Amino acid sequence: MNIDIDSAAELSAHLKALRKTHHLTQAQLGLRLGVKQTRMADIEKNPGVVSVAQLLEVLHALDARLLLATPTEPRLAPSAPADTRPHRREPGGSGPAP
């Protein structure tokens, strides 16, 4: 199963759900990783401040993987509004003024 995660809050919820799916307490998962229960609580609460290396360790301990994917449709930058001002001709010129 693949899950799109767009924020640290979503990652937090999914880490907790993964741990519970494996019927592990924070203390038990911490033992697998060599960290205390309080560290596991911090990681679940705010995964945005954990190192990528430690996040990968947590994911692997939960039998999960990190998958980076590009969207099938690229996100487009917002377009600049069209210039609706009338163009003036420069005296003696043949085209609109810049």
Side-chain angles (χ1 to χ4, degrees):
M1 172 194 321
N2 292 333
I3 300 169
D4 288 344
I5 296 177
D6 295 314
S7 69
E10 288 179 9
L11 179 57
S12 174
H14 287 291
L15 288 175
K16 185 175 183 177
L18 277 170
R19 177 179 55 79
K20 288 186 173 194
T21 298
H22 288 277
H23 307 288
L24 295 171
T25 64
Q26 290 175 339
Q28 291 167 327
L29 181 56
L31 279 174
R32 289 184 180 190
L33 299 169
V35 299
K36 295 183 179 186
Q37 178 275 330
T38 53
R39 179 62 181 149
M40 287 309 310
D42 290 341
I43 291 170
E44 279 186 9
K45 182 179 177 183
N46 193 3
V49 298
V50 68
S51 71
V52 173
Q54 192 162 40
L55 176 60
L56 290 172
E57 288 177 17
V58 171
L59 291 172
H60 288 264
L62 294 170
D63 199 29
R65 301 295 178 261
L66 178 65
L67 171 67
L68 301 178
T70 57
T72 55
E73 303 251 345
R75 295 181 184 173
L76 300 176
S79 301
D83 186 2
T84 58
R85 295 177 292 162
H87 293 285
R88 296 179 301 160
R89 289 185 171 252
E90 287 292 318
S94 60

